[in-house]
Amino acid sequence: MSSVRGLSGKGAQKREQLLDTAEELLVTTGSGELSMRAVAAAAGVRLGHLQHYFPTHAELVAAVLERVLARSVERLTPLLDPGRDEDALLRELLAEQQDMRLVHLFAELWALAARDPSVAAAVRAFYDRYQELVACFLAERRPALTEEERRSRARVFVMLIEGASLFRSGLAGTADAAADAELLRTAGALLGP
C-alpha cells in the first residue's frame, strides 16, 4: 500500500484528488480564487472534509506547490542528462512552453510567491535545484569551466529559458521563428564551450 504523509489507500487517494482539484482551480481561476471553500465546493466535499487533509489554506498551497515542483524536477532531471544532445534538450525545453496548463500553473505559482514568503522559498528552492541540474550537465559536458563559470551559466540559462516562457506562450508575446532561432543560439552558447 502506498503512503502519503501517513495516509494509505483511500486516504492517500482522496488527498491526491483534493490536490488535483486545487491545482485545477489554480490553473483555471488563478491564485486569488484558490480558497478552501472553493476547493471543497469544486471537489464536492464539505469544508471540514478538506480541512481533515489540509487544516489551513497555507498547508493546502504548500502541498500543491510541493507536488507541482517535484513533478517539474522529475521532468527536468532526464532532460538534463549529460548524454543528451544539446539541441534536442533545448527544443524539448522550448516545446514545454507551448503547454498552456504548465505555463499558467507556473505563472500562478510566481504570483503566489510574490505575496507569500513560504511559497517564495519553495519556488527559489526549485530554481536552485534546476540550476544545479544545469550546472551538473555543464560539469560533465564542459569540464574546463570553473565551478563559478558553471554556476553562472546555469543561472543565466534558467533565467533565459524561464523568462522565455512568458514571451513564447502568448502571455507577454508569441513565439516566432526568428526569435526562437536566436533563443536557441543564445541558450546553446551558454551550454557550449
Side-chain angles (χ1 to χ4, degrees):
M1 236 182 231
S2 70
S3 169
V4 177
R5 295 200 188 271
L7 299 173
S8 60
K10 289 182 182 181
Q13 184 178 12
K14 187 60 179 178
R15 182 181 188 278
E16 289 302 307
Q17 289 171 344
L18 292 168
L19 287 173
D20 288 343
T21 300
E23 187 176 319
E24 186 62 28
L25 280 175
L26 185 60
V27 170
T28 59
T29 65
S31 59
E33 300 298 318
L34 187 67
S35 69
M36 295 289 279
R37 289 190 189 286
V39 172
V45 300
R46 293 182 329 276
L47 180 59
H49 185 81
L50 175 64
Q51 289 172 321
H52 169 75
Y53 292 94
F54 307 101
T56 66
H57 182 263
E59 289 177 76
L60 174 64
V61 169
V64 169
L65 180 65
E66 179 182 313
R67 190 171 81 151
V68 167
L69 297 180
R71 276 195 322 252
S72 290
V73 167
E74 287 173 18
R75 192 179 68 253
L76 287 168
T77 300
L79 291 179
L80 289 162
D81 181 283
R84 286 189 57 98
D85 174 66
E86 287 171 19
D87 288 336
L89 161 65
L90 291 168
R91 291 188 189 287
E92 200 158 336
L93 287 173
L94 295 185
E96 286 185 348
Q97 295 174 357
Q98 301 307 305
D99 178 349
M100 288 311 295
R101 184 179 187 343
L102 191 59
V103 170
H104 284 183
L105 187 57
F106 269 87
E108 291 301 327
L109 290 177
W110 296 335
L112 282 168
R115 292 185 300 278
D116 185 326
S118 64
V119 173
V123 169
R124 278 192 304 274
F126 164 74
Y127 283 112
D128 287 346
R129 178 68 179 133
Y130 187 175
Q131 290 171 44
E132 181 183 319
L133 290 169
V134 175
C136 289
F137 179 89
L138 287 167
E140 291 290 322
R141 300 289 296 262
R142 307 291 183 250
L145 294 174
T146 67
E147 183 175 342
E148 185 178 336
E149 289 170 322
R150 287 192 303 269
R151 292 195 179 283
S152 292
R153 283 186 183 209
R155 184 172 172 84
V156 172
F157 177 85
V158 171
M159 292 162 68
L160 180 65
I161 296 298
E162 291 298 294
S165 69
L166 290 173
F167 289 89
R168 296 184 73 256
S169 66
L171 292 180
T174 56
D176 70 70
D180 280 357
E182 186 63 24
L183 177 61
L184 288 169
R185 188 192 64 71
T186 303
L190 289 167
L191 298 178

